[in-house]
Amino acid sequence: EDVENLKKAARAYLHPEVGVRVEDTTLFGRNYFERPSAPEVETFEEAEERAKILAEAAALKQLASDYMHPEVGVKTTDPTLFGRNYFNRYSAPETEEDEFADERAEILAEAAAFKKSAVAYLHPEVGVCLEDANLFGRNYFERASAPDVESMEEAEEKAKILAEAAALKKSAAAYMHPEVGVKTTDPALFGR
């Protein structure tokens, strides 16, 4: 009996086109897709419209990618497509001399270095990208032997204490050396 049930299950699995035969009239099943609470299914026209919209979006994405990345170039598999070389035609203007080309290359290299430096200065959050694995750096402020950094409250308290100490030192010096006298820069002050 078990072998028959397994054989029946394997046959049902391998041949789903046969369908389900019910021998018990009390058995039934609900159709998931046609129940009242089922999500709406789009029509054939809506599906075609969706496909057109997605195709247009893909074409616009490709166009934007081509516009933003001209260094990629144009790729084609059609051997019948060709183009003229603007620079090698007979009526093309003469190219510049090697000296000017070398100077232009140096200027462009310097400009690229300046641009890289400016980007590094204006965007410190990017970080430093190194190509040499032998280069490294230590963080001076977060090393184990770094001095403790005081908080803002501690710095303010320290400044107050130092100001009071300076005032006390001045007062003690005036008390211990009365021969020095009082110095002032205000001509309106005088004593008897």
PDB file of all heavy atoms in Angstrom, residues 138-148:
ATOM      1  N   ARG A 138      50.604  56.315  11.387  1.00  0.00           N
ATOM      2  CA  ARG A 138      50.074  56.124  12.724  1.00  0.00           C
ATOM      3  C   ARG A 138      49.179  57.294  13.070  1.00  0.00           C
ATOM      4  O   ARG A 138      49.450  58.419  12.691  1.00  0.00           O
ATOM      5  CB  ARG A 138      51.209  56.036  13.737  1.00  0.00           C
ATOM      6  CG  ARG A 138      52.027  54.770  13.601  1.00  0.00           C
ATOM      7  CD  ARG A 138      53.145  54.721  14.596  1.00  0.00           C
ATOM      8  NE  ARG A 138      52.660  55.001  15.946  1.00  0.00           N
ATOM      9  CZ  ARG A 138      53.442  55.397  16.932  1.00  0.00           C
ATOM     10  NH1 ARG A 138      54.727  55.570  16.722  1.00  0.00           N
ATOM     11  NH2 ARG A 138      52.948  55.633  18.127  1.00  0.00           N
ATOM     12  N   ASN A 139      48.157  57.028  13.846  1.00  0.00           N
ATOM     13  CA  ASN A 139      47.290  58.080  14.330  1.00  0.00           C
ATOM     14  C   ASN A 139      47.897  58.609  15.623  1.00  0.00           C
ATOM     15  O   ASN A 139      47.911  57.923  16.641  1.00  0.00           O
ATOM     16  CB  ASN A 139      45.876  57.556  14.554  1.00  0.00           C
ATOM     17  CG  ASN A 139      44.913  58.667  14.847  1.00  0.00           C
ATOM     18  OD1 ASN A 139      45.309  59.761  15.248  1.00  0.00           O
ATOM     19  ND2 ASN A 139      43.639  58.415  14.642  1.00  0.00           N
ATOM     20  N   TYR A 140      48.395  59.827  15.592  1.00  0.00           N
ATOM     21  CA  TYR A 140      49.079  60.419  16.730  1.00  0.00           C
ATOM     22  C   TYR A 140      48.142  60.569  17.921  1.00  0.00           C
ATOM     23  O   TYR A 140      48.548  60.416  19.069  1.00  0.00           O
ATOM     24  CB  TYR A 140      49.648  61.776  16.319  1.00  0.00           C
ATOM     25  CG  TYR A 140      50.304  62.531  17.440  1.00  0.00           C
ATOM     26  CD1 TYR A 140      51.588  62.206  17.870  1.00  0.00           C
ATOM     27  CD2 TYR A 140      49.641  63.564  18.090  1.00  0.00           C
ATOM     28  CE1 TYR A 140      52.188  62.892  18.902  1.00  0.00           C
ATOM     29  CE2 TYR A 140      50.228  64.254  19.125  1.00  0.00           C
ATOM     30  CZ  TYR A 140      51.505  63.918  19.525  1.00  0.00           C
ATOM     31  OH  TYR A 140      52.098  64.591  20.544  1.00  0.00           O
ATOM     32  N   PHE A 141      46.868  60.878  17.655  1.00  0.00           N
ATOM     33  CA  PHE A 141      45.961  61.224  18.731  1.00  0.00           C
ATOM     34  C   PHE A 141      45.301  60.014  19.383  1.00  0.00           C
ATOM     35  O   PHE A 141      44.825  60.104  20.506  1.00  0.00           O
ATOM     36  CB  PHE A 141      44.886  62.179  18.216  1.00  0.00           C
ATOM     37  CG  PHE A 141      45.467  63.454  17.681  1.00  0.00           C
ATOM     38  CD1 PHE A 141      45.593  63.659  16.322  1.00  0.00           C
ATOM     39  CD2 PHE A 141      45.917  64.430  18.537  1.00  0.00           C
ATOM     40  CE1 PHE A 141      46.139  64.828  15.827  1.00  0.00           C
ATOM     41  CE2 PHE A 141      46.469  65.597  18.059  1.00  0.00           C
ATOM     42  CZ  PHE A 141      46.591  65.794  16.698  1.00  0.00           C
ATOM     43  N   GLU A 142      45.238  58.881  18.705  1.00  0.00           N
ATOM     44  CA  GLU A 142      44.536  57.734  19.261  1.00  0.00           C
ATOM     45  C   GLU A 142      45.474  56.578  19.612  1.00  0.00           C
ATOM     46  O   GLU A 142      45.025  55.468  19.820  1.00  0.00           O
ATOM     47  CB  GLU A 142      43.464  57.264  18.278  1.00  0.00           C
ATOM     48  CG  GLU A 142      42.366  58.288  18.101  1.00  0.00           C
ATOM     49  CD  GLU A 142      41.301  57.833  17.127  1.00  0.00           C
ATOM     50  OE1 GLU A 142      41.373  56.693  16.654  1.00  0.00           O
ATOM     51  OE2 GLU A 142      40.400  58.629  16.840  1.00  0.00           O
ATOM     52  N   ARG A 143      46.767  56.811  19.661  1.00  0.00           N
ATOM     53  CA  ARG A 143      47.683  55.741  20.025  1.00  0.00           C
ATOM     54  C   ARG A 143      47.592  55.489  21.521  1.00  0.00           C
ATOM     55  O   ARG A 143      47.068  56.316  22.287  1.00  0.00           O
ATOM     56  CB  ARG A 143      49.110  56.087  19.597  1.00  0.00           C
ATOM     57  CG  ARG A 143      49.720  57.237  20.362  1.00  0.00           C
ATOM     58  CD  ARG A 143      51.065  57.631  19.770  1.00  0.00           C
ATOM     59  NE  ARG A 143      51.832  58.435  20.690  1.00  0.00           N
ATOM     60  CZ  ARG A 143      51.641  59.715  20.917  1.00  0.00           C
ATOM     61  NH1 ARG A 143      50.688  60.343  20.265  1.00  0.00           N
ATOM     62  NH2 ARG A 143      52.393  60.370  21.775  1.00  0.00           N
ATOM     63  N   ALA A 144      48.121  54.367  21.974  1.00  0.00           N
ATOM     64  CA  ALA A 144      48.000  53.989  23.387  1.00  0.00           C
ATOM     65  C   ALA A 144      48.761  54.942  24.291  1.00  0.00           C
ATOM     66  O   ALA A 144      48.341  55.210  25.420  1.00  0.00           O
ATOM     67  CB  ALA A 144      48.500  52.563  23.572  1.00  0.00           C
ATOM     68  N   SER A 145      49.892  55.477  23.814  1.00  0.00           N
ATOM     69  CA  SER A 145      50.712  56.348  24.657  1.00  0.00           C
ATOM     70  C   SER A 145      50.372  57.831  24.487  1.00  0.00           C
ATOM     71  O   SER A 145      51.112  58.686  24.954  1.00  0.00           O
ATOM     72  CB  SER A 145      52.191  56.128  24.320  1.00  0.00           C
ATOM     73  OG  SER A 145      52.433  56.477  22.967  1.00  0.00           O
ATOM     74  N   ALA A 146      49.269  58.140  23.817  1.00  0.00           N
ATOM     75  CA  ALA A 146      48.892  59.541  23.601  1.00  0.00           C
ATOM     76  C   ALA A 146      48.466  60.172  24.923  1.00  0.00           C
ATOM     77  O   ALA A 146      47.883  59.506  25.780  1.00  0.00           O
ATOM     78  CB  ALA A 146      47.746  59.631  22.604  1.00  0.00           C
ATOM     79  N   PRO A 147      48.766  61.455  25.111  1.00  0.00           N
ATOM     80  CA  PRO A 147      48.311  62.118  26.345  1.00  0.00           C
ATOM     81  C   PRO A 147      46.786  62.244  26.339  1.00  0.00           C
ATOM     82  O   PRO A 147      46.155  62.326  25.291  1.00  0.00           O
ATOM     83  CB  PRO A 147      48.988  63.494  26.274  1.00  0.00           C
ATOM     84  CG  PRO A 147      49.299  63.699  24.833  1.00  0.00           C
ATOM     85  CD  PRO A 147      49.531  62.340  24.248  1.00  0.00           C
ATOM     86  N   ASP A 148      46.226  62.220  27.541  1.00  0.00           N
ATOM     87  CA  ASP A 148      44.775  62.355  27.650  1.00  0.00           C
ATOM     88  C   ASP A 148      44.339  63.739  27.196  1.00  0.00           C
ATOM     89  O   ASP A 148      44.966  64.741  27.524  1.00  0.00           O
ATOM     90  CB  ASP A 148      44.320  62.130  29.095  1.00  0.00           C
ATOM     91  CG  ASP A 148      44.515  60.691  29.529  1.00  0.00           C
ATOM     92  OD1 ASP A 148      44.494  59.817  28.645  1.00  0.00           O
ATOM     93  OD2 ASP A 148      44.681  60.455  30.736  1.00  0.00           O
TER      94      ASP A 148
END
